[in-house]
Amino acid sequence: MARIRQRLGRHFIDEAGRLFWINGPEHHCYLSEQRQWRRGLIFGEILEWKQCAPSGLVSQRFPSPQAACEAYEHGLVAWAHDLYLRRMGDQMALHRGADDYKPTAMKLAEAAGAPVRAQPWRLPEPLGPVCGLPPRGAETGSAGSIGLEMAHPRRRRRSGCQLAQL
């Protein structure tokens, strides 16, 4: 028996963190498993930023969304694979997986004067110059021991004479 942890409209997440969407009209709907490719987003962000796409796993038809949810929680869902839906989901994942992706509705709202929103998965731009090398201590030697790290190529070292004059 699986439990629905969160539900918003026609989407829900179960206890295992799997996302499902109730597709179709109210009187003849089915469940569709959704893949997520960005980690760290909350449920609302996944839906708002459309960071999910069909995996191709679908259920039988149900007479209502409530019946679909109840069948899921009682383990009464018969799953099947839909290759067309899987291919469509792969295309959606490629399109929506870009770092600068924004849903069309959000782009239109911003063009109409709404505030520009940054994608929650993007890090803020650095304020100053950035070194492309990893921080010291992040690398280990070939034997896995710390201390065999590469010296920073632009680091200036002071000689003993310079230190004595300070």
Side-chain angles (χ1 to χ4, degrees), residues 27-132:
H27 62 280
H28 198 64
C29 57
Y30 65 96
L31 294 174
S32 169
E33 182 188 48
Q34 302 284 304
R35 288 178 297 163
Q36 304 168 59
W37 48 88
R38 295 199 198 274
R39 299 290 172 222
L41 299 178
I42 60 173
F43 183 49
E45 289 174 333
I46 293 167
L47 301 180
E48 181 180 27
W49 288 90
K50 301 191 184 312
Q51 294 299 296
C52 60
S55 69
L57 194 61
V58 297
S59 73
Q60 74 270 31
R61 298 286 179 161
F62 296 99
S64 71
Q66 186 61 34
C69 290
E70 289 172 7
Y72 181 79
E73 287 193 319
H74 295 297
L76 302 174
V77 178
W79 295 104
H81 290 280
D82 184 322
L83 294 178
Y84 172 77
L85 195 59
R86 173 63 191 233
R87 281 193 298 270
M88 185 175 71
D90 290 344
Q91 291 172 349
M92 290 166 72
L94 281 174
H95 174 67
R96 295 175 177 177
D99 280 343
D100 61 348
Y101 172 79
K102 282 190 182 179
T104 303
M106 197 176 292
K107 287 180 188 177
L108 293 173
E110 288 175 1
V116 176
R117 298 181 56 199
Q119 292 86 346
W121 56 86
R122 293 185 82 178
L123 296 174
E125 292 295 323
L127 298 176
V130 176
C131 176

